[in-house]
Amino acid sequence: MSGAFEFNDPLFDVPASALEADPEAQIRELLYRVSQLEATLAEERMQNEQDIKELLLTHIAVADDVRALLERVGVPTTASEAFLSRNLSALGSKAAAILKRFGVEPIHLTGQPADPDLCDVVGERVSDFPAGMVLREDMAGYRWRRGVLRKGHVTVSRGRDG
């Protein structure tokens, strides 16, 4: 066979399946399947994000419990209390390090005006500070890469006139 196509060259047999093929329909089917896979992947990503959020909130609750136990022990007066306090403190440090590694940071609210996007007001006290100023964090709030993970619970100033 020469380099140029001539009409007297022998023809190649074309399989019947190639003659009946509909490339346009096959491409449409492939594009449909790709869109279905993309939708499934997006749903799985959302579910994974929700699962991670729930896991982080559970971890925060455990860290809160450790902190409460440490506060309940107070100033150790015996060797066993000192041992317990030291180990609870180490456990709390590990919990904080894990949260930090996952980008979870506490929201510092004390001394700031109460922001409803960051905290829920659970108490008020008369004070010399302006009304609505956060006096105490009753439960710490946390921020994550996607926004507020958990709102803080705060006590705010009512002001002297309130």
Side-chain angles (χ1 to χ4, degrees), residues 30-46:
L30 286 173
L31 290 174
Y32 173 75
R33 289 174 58 194
V34 166
S35 71
Q36 292 298 102
L37 288 171
E38 287 174 340
T40 300
L41 182 60
E43 288 173 9
E44 287 177 0
R45 281 185 180 145
M46 286 176 48

Side-chain angles (χ1 to χ4, degrees), residues 136-147:
R136 182 180 72 225
E137 294 180 37
D138 300 299
M139 183 178 77
Y142 288 89
R143 186 178 275 128
W144 188 36
R145 65 178 174 254
R146 298 277 190 224

Side-chain angles (χ1 to χ4, degrees), residues 112-114 124-125 127-135 156-162:
Q112 305 293 321
E124 290 184 332
R125 286 184 38 206
S127 78
D128 292 329
F129 292 100
M133 185 71 63
V134 175
L135 300 174
V156 298
S157 173
R158 193 173 345 141
R160 288 280 174 206
D161 299 332

Side-chain angles (χ1 to χ4, degrees), residues 8-94:
N8 59 356
D9 282 346
L11 298 176
F12 293 102
D13 287 331
V14 176
S17 61
L19 293 174
E20 297 168 2
D22 184 359
E24 184 180 343
Q26 289 178 337
I27 289 173
R28 273 195 311 271
E29 174 65 23
L30 286 173
L31 290 174
Y32 173 75
R33 289 174 58 194
V34 166
S35 71
Q36 292 298 102
L37 288 171
E38 287 174 340
T40 300
L41 182 60
E43 288 173 9
E44 287 177 0
R45 281 185 180 145
M46 286 176 48
Q47 184 60 50
N48 288 341
E49 180 95 8
Q50 187 62 34
D51 291 347
I52 290 170
K53 184 177 179 178
E54 287 179 29
L55 183 62
L56 290 172
L57 286 169
T58 301
H59 189 80
I60 287 170
V62 170
D64 287 347
D65 291 344
V66 169
R67 192 175 304 109
L69 282 171
L70 193 55
E71 289 173 4
R72 189 172 289 166
V73 169
V75 177
T77 57
T78 66
S80 62
E81 286 177 354
F83 176 79
L84 178 63
S85 180
R86 188 171 43 253
N87 285 301
L88 283 173
S89 181
L91 184 59
S93 294
K94 285 180 184 179

Side-chain angles (χ1 to χ4, degrees), residues 60 99-100 102-108 141-145 147 149-150:
I60 287 170
L99 290 171
K100 185 175 183 177
F102 283 94
V104 177
E105 297 177 354
I107 303 170
H108 300 288
Y142 288 89
R143 186 178 275 128
W144 188 36
R145 65 178 174 254
L149 185 60
R150 180 178 84 177

